[in-house]
Amino acid sequence: GQNIDQPTEMTATEGAIVQINCTYQTSGFNGLFWYQQHAGEAPTFLSYNVLDGLEEKGRFSSFLSRSKGYSYLLLKELQMKDSASYLCAVVDSNYQLIWGAGTKLIIKP
Amino acid sequence: IAGITQAPTSQILAAGRRMTLRCTQDMRHNAMYWYRQDLGLGLRLIHYSNTAGTTGKGEVPDGYSVSRANTDDFPLTLASAVPSQTSVYFCASSDNSGSVHTQYFGPGTRLTVL
């Protein structure tokens, strides 16, 4: 079967760094997305990785290791507005997105 | 209109009633999707359409139907609603002509079936 695993909830302090992990087992792999979803709102696109390595975009970075079935999202200089759920999604062999349940990130002052 | 719109924003529905959730996009994306999102579960694909005139079943299609008469609209119909269909429903679209099929989401419809 297909499976995406993320921690259910994480807590971090404003100004700090946090790493949200995602492991996956899917039928085929055609890329991995990270989305941000604030409570009561729609998911919004953060990043896409298809090759191994680190992609940096401002305060957010995303890493992929295809051989390990592993990705992480790194958030630096945390701000209160970063409190949200972070969704990991893998593009499978049929080019459908398989979604993890999301990680709720709580930022404390 | 900018992006994707959904209607209604929320709805309370009696079990057994028929309901259509509307979704319209103005980005001329070829592909559109319907998901449901339930607490503790990831987004689950209900139905999708890769291009106008075609539709396909996702992970949880039972009790739902869709149509794609044109590029912009992708309505989702619940023929006879049941309480287990209480959920938040998101419509999304993507441009599948390139190599990266980023999906863009509408604001969602919160549906309660009593």
Side-chain angles (χ1 to χ4, degrees):
Chain A
Q2 309 207 87
N3 195 49
I4 311 285
D5 284 320
Q6 309 178 231
T8 302
E9 187 175 295
M10 299 181 70
T11 302
T13 304
E14 189 177 15
I17 299 173
V18 70
Q19 178 175 311
I20 302 174
N21 296 326
C22 171
T23 58
Y24 62 88
Q25 292 176 308
T26 57
S27 58
F29 179 86
N30 286 297
L32 185 146
F33 286 93
W34 283 97
Y35 278 75
Q36 181 189 59
Q37 185 177 24
H38 285 102
E41 298 183 7
T44 56
F45 169 76
L46 282 179
S47 68
Y48 173 76
N49 295 69
V50 66
L51 300 176
D52 289 351
L54 188 69
E55 295 273 349
E56 297 187 75
K57 192 184 297 185
R59 293 190 299 114
F60 292 8
S61 302
S62 55
F63 171 83
L64 174 66
S65 169
R66 289 172 296 172
S67 63
K68 296 182 179 179
Y70 169 69
S71 173
Y72 67 73
L73 182 69
L74 191 71
L75 291 73
K76 303 176 184 177
E77 302 169 15
L78 286 169
Q79 302 175 8
M80 297 304 293
K81 68 178 181 180
D82 297 330
S83 292
S85 289
Y86 292 85
L87 314 181
C88 173
V90 172
V91 186
D92 72 5
S93 56
N94 295 318
Y95 288 90
Q96 299 290 354
L97 285 184
I98 309 300
W99 295 83
T103 299
K104 182 178 181 181
L105 178 63
I106 299 167
I107 310 295
K108 295 186 174 179
Chain B
I1 298 177
I4 303 180
T5 58
Q6 293 184 234
T9 302
S10 64
Q11 182 75 45
I12 299 174
L13 189 66
R17 297 296 295 269
R18 181 184 179 89
M19 175 75 191
T20 295
L21 307 185
R22 300 184 298 278
C23 175
T24 299
Q25 54 107 355
D26 67 354
M27 297 177 285
R28 307 303 293 173
H29 284 170
N30 53 338
M32 297 187 75
Y33 312 85
W34 274 106
Y35 291 94
R36 59 178 290 171
Q37 187 175 41
D38 303 289
L39 198 63
L41 300 176
L43 288 162
R44 292 184 291 168
L45 183 65
I46 304 171
H47 286 286
Y48 65 93
S49 169
N50 287 329
T51 189
T54 69
T55 63
K57 294 181 179 180
E59 179 186 357
V60 289
D62 294 343
Y64 306 94
S65 64
V66 292
S67 61
R68 186 89 184 278
N70 57 60
T71 297
D72 299 344
D73 301 300
F74 191 43
L76 176 73
T77 297
L78 289 67
S80 179
V82 295
S84 62
Q85 292 178 311
T86 294
S87 188
V88 180
Y89 290 86
F90 288 103
C91 178
S93 71
S94 65
D95 176 4
N96 287 0
S97 61
S99 59
V100 182
H101 305 169
T102 303
Q103 294 188 12
Y104 298 92
F105 287 79
T109 293
R110 184 173 299 274
L111 181 67
T112 302
V113 183
L114 301 176

